[in-house]
Amino acid sequence: MKKPLVGALFAVLLLGAGIAPATAATSHGAAPAGHTAVKSEKEIKAKAVGFAGTVALSNCSGSVVRTPSSQPGDPALVLSNGHCLETGFPAPGAVVFNRSSSRSFTLLNASGSGVGTLRASKIAYGTMTDTDISVYQLTSTYAQIESRYGIKALELSTTHPVAGTAITVASGYWKRLYSCNIDGFVYRLKEGSWTWKDSVRYTSACQTIGGTSGSPVIDNATGKVVAVNNTGNEDGERCTDNNPCEVDENGQVTVRQGINYAQQTYGIAACIGTGSAFDLNRAGCTLPKP
């Protein structure tokens, strides 16, 4: 899982004040792998995707998100990973639901500058079973955030993404964009004790690093969130922590060292009702229940 890099605590403190971490500008400021001087049409489109609506957590990345039916007066939601929860990694089969939280998030504008602090009222939903997501409900509404900061929430796509789609992984923690394509989908992705279903595999250009966990994966053509970045095989090990393996329908295991993954998010919107409230019994909602 794309946890923060060792020694990044000082950078986290700076991010909380809306200042870019020094290590992000030095060690991690190079262009993504596969970048060339001649920009393709896909790369040009990717440049149009900025940081507006993304957030920096104390140990991960995230984004302010809305469903197609969200209303301006609804409490805003922040999407990240289940393994980014302040309560620790949820055990296999566990679901965190409507738990009080006062966690804070640094909201970024299009250029990556911190413009304000948002605060959670609760963890609306979180799990590492079948997927790896956390959704926080904020004390601010979508209308209040737009009025104060001029920033709109990113919209969650409600359709399954397509292989070959040009995407951008936008990390609020590092203030860095990763541009690549969806390489395909993984029947089961296993990492340590956890198993995720129908995961997104990136092409090799998206070399995400620690601290990018929870970053929105944005479809360059639509601007909608299609997945949430969560892991990658770092050392070539088989199905261990930080070294997920792919398992197909026949149980065949494949290890792809250096390849990174995300969890699809199109099913989240079906579980959110009036007033941003999670209702796991809504028609079409397939998220694991407590």
Side-chain angles (χ1 to χ4, degrees), residues 32 40 42 63 66 82 84 108 110 157 178 181 186 208 213 225-226 253 257 285 290:
S40 69
K42 289 180 179 179
S63 57
R66 63 182 297 273
C84 292
L108 306 185
S157 173
Y178 299 81
N181 295 72
V186 182
T208 50
S213 285
V225 177
V226 296
V253 176
Q257 184 175 3
C285 179

Side-chain angles (χ1 to χ4, degrees), residues 124-241:
Y125 185 88
T127 192
M128 289 178 66
T129 298
D130 296 348
T131 185
D132 183 10
I133 63 169
S134 61
V135 182
Y136 289 83
Q137 184 171 303
L138 303 184
T139 58
S140 303
T141 66
Y142 293 111
Q144 288 170 335
I145 292 172
E146 187 171 356
S147 175
R148 291 171 186 168
Y149 308 113
I151 294 174
K152 295 182 178 181
L154 300 174
E155 184 175 327
L156 291 169
S157 173
T158 57
T159 59
H160 193 291
V162 178
T165 298
I167 55 173
T168 297
V169 183
S171 171
Y173 184 94
W174 287 118
K175 302 183 181 180
R176 180 172 174 182
L177 304 176
Y178 299 81
S179 299
C180 61
N181 295 72
I182 294 177
D183 185 53
F185 305 96
V186 182
Y187 177 69
R188 297 289 185 267
L189 190 67
K190 293 182 65 67
E191 179 174 342
S193 302
W194 295 275
T195 300
W196 303 307
K197 298 178 179 179
D198 199 20
S199 303
V200 174
R201 182 200 309 118
Y202 305 143
T203 52
S204 59
C206 278
Q207 290 294 307
T208 50
I209 58 175
T212 62
S213 285
S215 299
V217 179
I218 301 169
D219 182 324
N220 292 348
T222 67
K224 296 181 180 181
V225 177
V226 296
V228 59
N229 180 67
N230 81 310
T231 195
N233 188 293
E234 298 179 0
D235 308 308
E237 295 180 5
R238 178 184 169 112
C239 314
T240 62
D241 288 350

Side-chain angles (χ1 to χ4, degrees), residues 28-112:
H28 306 286
H35 179 80
T36 58
V38 179
K39 295 181 176 63
S40 69
E41 182 180 351
K42 289 180 179 179
E43 287 175 316
I44 293 171
K45 285 184 179 179
K47 291 295 184 183
V49 176
F51 297 98
T54 65
V55 300
L57 286 65
S58 56
N59 61 347
C60 285
S61 299
S63 57
V64 180
V65 295
R66 63 182 297 273
T67 72
S69 60
S70 293
Q71 299 300 307
D74 291 342
L77 301 174
V78 163
L79 171 69
S80 190
N81 284 147
H83 78 260
C84 292
L85 287 167
E86 70 268 34
T87 53
F89 290 10
V95 172
V96 180
F97 190 68
N98 285 339
R99 182 178 298 183
S100 178
S101 173
S102 59
R103 195 169 193 181
S104 61
F105 312 88
T106 301
L107 178 67
L108 306 185
N109 62 16
S111 63

Side-chain angles (χ1 to χ4, degrees), residues 75 93 113 123 179 192 216:
S113 297
I123 302 167
S179 299

